[in-house]
């Protein structure tokens, strides 16, 4: 491998970038400038007055502070709501601004490792909303990254890959993560369900109501209040659970001296790890793994961004009844698109089986084929296309492909949307 293998944690307040180094088999954080203490790059951009010069991160803050330019922040939210910014009479779309920001941060590893090629780029974001993912991929492509090299994970999934890349004793039982940022307090929990082949890893995420502004940490009284809030959260969340390790990340945990009460609870018979780049590092591990012939992670992951059920149907192939899998449990919903062609043989319904992972229960969803043109038996070919708009919302399209010159295709499409467990 000669190209860069990158993981980027893209958030509204700040972003982080890690580069996987195959020789070390570890991700390495990349910082803006010489400050490697955090590697947090504020997700802001500033155009210098009267010049076609753009700055990001702390440099953008400084330029705007002294009146030298116009700054735009919260770039992720701006893209999500399809916003724009007018700077010196020029209207820039949110994608334009994110493109400039992304080009700037991609220059960091290119310069550090003296390589222009990006072989694999994995983004990790808080929420996987389809329209935003489309825009993010378009922006990355416009920065010279090929579509096949781009993947996107939720923070929950990045947490999984980061943890299972560590020593097994770290995740022997349940593993927890607290992410404290300006956005609030996020809690993640992961467990391995053993006794199945392949093993299943489940992880959940929720934003806690107890979140607080990081500004409170500027005073001793505020620190005490924040510690009291976190301690109460830990006592509630960790109660009666067998937890091997607790991870702490986010700007709020860059210095945890203020959280003595919380740490006393968290460290009780558990290993506690604090640091930044957890999500970016998890993404970087995946950036390397997707290029391998055999994955180092032989697990089914069930979490935000992953399908929880296997979808299939039965068809006759070579005289035998065969199960045709259209989507597998544990697949990334955004990339889980499949297309299979069949010849209709004396059936009026298309029956799909939906089997939730770890369950003996199989649900059936059916699509009537009555809307297709009436033809003699075995003279209609159909294409069945399955796609997802999130991990639980499945769209099935049945397309009439006709049957050669004798029965030309009409292009008729039957579309049905299903909510699957």
């Amino acid at each position: 491998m000669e190209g860069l293998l990158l993981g980027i944690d893209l958030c509204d307040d700040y972003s982080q970038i890690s580069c996987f180094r195959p020789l070390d088999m570890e991700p390495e954080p990349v910082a803006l400038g010489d400050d490697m203490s955090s590697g947090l790059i504020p997700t802001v951009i500033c155009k210098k007055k009267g010049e076609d010069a753009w700055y990001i991160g702390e440099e953008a803050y400084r330029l705007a502070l002294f009146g030298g330019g116009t700054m735009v922040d919260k770039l992720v939210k701006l893209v999500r709501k399809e916003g724009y910014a007018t700077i010196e009479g020029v209207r820039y779309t949110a994608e334009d601004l994110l493109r400039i920001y992304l080009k700037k941060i991609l220059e960091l590893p290119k310069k550090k490792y003296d390589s222009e090629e990006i072989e694999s780029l994995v983004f990790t974001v808080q929420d996987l909303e389809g329209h935003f993912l489309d825009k993010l991929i378009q922006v990355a492509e416009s920065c010279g990254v090929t579509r096949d090299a781009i993947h996107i994970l939720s923070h929950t999934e990045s947490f999984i890959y980061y943890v299972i890349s560590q020593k097994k004793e770290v995740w022997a039982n349940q593993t927890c993560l607290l992410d404290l940022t300006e956005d609030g307090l996020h809690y993640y929990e992961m467990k391995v369900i053993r006794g199945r082949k392949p093993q299943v890893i489940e992880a959940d995420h929720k934003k806690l109501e107890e979140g607080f502004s990081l500004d409170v940490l500027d005073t001793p009284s505020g620190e005490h209040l924040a510690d009291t809030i976190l301690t109460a959260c830990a006592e509630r969340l960790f109660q009666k659970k067998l937890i091997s390790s607790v991870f702490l990340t986010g700007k709020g945990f860059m210095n945890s001296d203020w959280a003595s009460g919380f740490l006393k609870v968290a460290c009780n018979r558990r290993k506690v790890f604090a640091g930044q780049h957890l999500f970016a590092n998890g993404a970087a591990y995946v950036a390397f793994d997707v290029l391998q012939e055999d994955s180092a992670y032989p697990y089914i992951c069930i979490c935000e961004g992953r399908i929880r059920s296997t979808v299939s149907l039965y068809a006759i192939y070579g005289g035998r009844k065969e199960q045709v899998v259209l989507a597998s449990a544990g697949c990334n919903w955004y990339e889980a698109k499949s297309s299979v062609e069949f010849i209709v043989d004396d059936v009026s319904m298309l029956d799909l089986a939906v089997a939730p992972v770890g369950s003996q229960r199989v649900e059936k969803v059916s699509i009537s084929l009555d809307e297709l043109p009436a033809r003699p038996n075995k003279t209609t070919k159909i294409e069945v296309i399955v796609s997802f708009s999130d991990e639980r919302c499945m769209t099935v399209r049945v397309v009439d492909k006709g049957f050669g010159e004798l029965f030309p295709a009409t292009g008729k499409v039957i579309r049905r949307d299903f909510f699957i467990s």
Side-chain angles (χ1 to χ4, degrees):
M1 294 182 188
E2 297 181 0
L4 297 169
L5 312 175
L6 305 177
I8 295 180
D9 179 17
L10 189 62
C11 299
D12 255 330
D13 49 1
Y14 56 81
S15 299
Q16 300 174 77
I17 181 168
S18 292
C19 182
F20 189 89
R21 309 298 292 156
L23 291 178
D24 301 326
M25 292 304 289
E26 290 284 343
E28 183 175 77
V30 181
L32 180 62
D34 298 326
D35 181 15
M36 290 298 298
S37 61
S38 68
L40 305 186
I41 307 171
T43 314
V44 299
I45 190 167
C46 184
K47 182 182 182 299
K48 191 172 184 179
K49 284 184 178 179
E51 297 182 26
D52 187 23
W54 297 85
Y55 298 84
I56 65 171
E58 296 294 346
E59 291 180 322
Y61 277 132
R62 284 194 292 270
L63 184 63
L65 180 64
F66 292 104
T70 303
M71 191 183 78
V72 182
D73 61 2
K74 300 189 183 302
L75 299 181
V76 174
K77 186 178 292 183
L78 199 64
V79 174
R80 289 187 186 276
K81 67 179 185 180
E82 300 184 62
Y84 65 92
T86 301
I87 303 175
E88 296 182 318
V90 178
R91 173 171 165 155
Y92 297 90
T93 67
E95 296 94 273
D96 292 333
L97 299 172
L98 184 61
R99 182 179 302 110
I100 296 169
Y101 179 84
L102 184 58
K103 279 186 177 180
K104 292 283 188 181
I105 63 172
L106 288 177
E107 285 301 318
L108 302 176
K110 288 180 179 180
K111 182 178 179 180
K112 180 175 181 177
Y113 302 109
D114 192 25
S115 175
E116 288 295 318
E117 181 189 359
I118 297 176
E119 194 169 358
S120 182
L121 173 59
V122 178
F123 290 99
T124 179
V125 295
Q126 184 69 70
D127 299 307
L128 297 179
E129 185 273 315
H131 179 73
F132 171 72
L133 302 188
D134 292 340
K135 294 291 185 183
L136 180 55
I137 287 173
Q138 291 170 16
V139 168
E141 286 184 291
S142 70
C143 293
V145 186
T146 62
R147 174 62 187 90
D148 290 344
I150 305 168
H151 300 274
I152 306 176
L153 312 177
S154 66
H155 275 178
T156 311
E157 189 171 351
S158 292
F159 166 55
I160 289 176
Y161 282 107
Y162 178 81
V163 171
I164 61 179
S165 298
Q166 312 307 310
K167 294 179 180 179
K168 281 198 172 182
E169 55 261 33
V170 171
W171 46 282
N173 299 302
Q174 286 179 271
T175 308
C176 301
L177 164 68
L178 284 164
D179 180 25
L180 180 57
T181 70
E182 289 289 0
D183 178 55
L185 180 60
H186 293 260
Y187 176 71
Y188 301 80
E189 192 171 279
M190 182 196 107
K191 61 182 177 182
V192 180
I193 301 176
R194 295 178 171 81
R196 298 177 188 166
K197 291 188 178 181
Q199 286 187 336
V200 176
I201 296 178
E202 288 187 347
D204 293 306
H205 154 253
K206 57 185 174 183
K207 184 177 181 180
L208 301 179
E209 295 180 357
E210 294 91 339
F212 49 83
S213 170
L214 299 187
D215 291 341
V216 304
L217 300 179
D218 293 339
T219 65
S221 60
E223 289 181 340
H224 178 72
L225 175 62
D227 186 27
T228 301
I229 292 172
L230 273 188
T231 302
C233 285
E235 290 172 342
R236 173 173 59 84
L237 294 169
F238 301 162
Q239 187 178 25
K240 297 180 180 179
K241 292 177 182 175
L242 191 58
I243 299 172
S244 297
S245 55
V246 178
F247 290 84
L248 309 176
T249 194
K251 193 173 182 179
F253 285 123
M254 286 181 65
N255 176 0
S256 55
D257 292 345
W258 56 271
S260 58
F262 162 74
L263 290 174
K264 185 177 180 180
V265 174
C267 293
N268 184 18
R269 293 178 296 176
R270 308 177 187 95
K271 295 180 179 179
V272 177
F273 305 90
Q276 307 305 313
H277 279 85
L278 184 148
F279 296 125
N281 284 351
Y285 279 117
V286 176
F288 173 75
D289 193 69
V290 293
L291 299 178
Q292 307 310 303
E293 205 168 299
D294 297 310
S295 173
Y297 308 106
Y299 310 100
I300 295 177
C301 296
I302 302 300
C303 63
E304 290 173 281
R306 294 280 169 166
I307 301 169
R308 297 171 180 268
S309 299
T310 294
V311 180
S312 63
L313 57 76
Y314 284 94
I316 303 300
Y317 181 78
R320 297 176 56 185
K321 190 175 184 181
E322 301 280 354
Q323 183 184 29
V324 180
V325 175
L326 302 173
S328 298
C331 287
N332 183 307
W333 70 260
Y334 188 76
E335 299 176 354
K337 299 178 178 70
S338 63
S339 170
V340 186
E341 292 187 348
F342 302 93
I343 292 188
V344 177
D345 183 7
D346 196 27
V347 292
S348 60
M349 302 288 291
L350 187 69
D351 295 325
L352 280 70
V354 180
V357 66
S359 172
Q360 300 298 319
R361 174 176 51 89
V362 178
E363 301 175 359
K364 185 176 78 171
V365 296
S366 300
I367 301 172
S368 171
L369 302 179
D370 290 345
E371 297 178 39
L372 295 177
R375 300 189 182 106
N377 193 36
K378 297 184 181 179
T379 60
T380 296
K381 180 186 289 185
I382 61 172
E383 181 183 15
V384 179
I385 304 169
V386 173
S387 59
F388 294 79
S389 56
D390 64 34
E391 58 261 29
R392 295 182 181 273
C393 295
M394 175 178 71
T395 296
V396 181
R397 285 171 290 168
V398 181
V399 184
D400 174 38
K401 307 291 285 187
F403 200 79
E405 295 181 0
L406 190 61
F407 298 102
T410 64
K412 171 69 179 178
V413 178
I414 303 171
R415 171 178 169 152
R416 296 291 184 269
D417 297 315
F418 301 96
F419 180 83
I420 64 174
S421 56

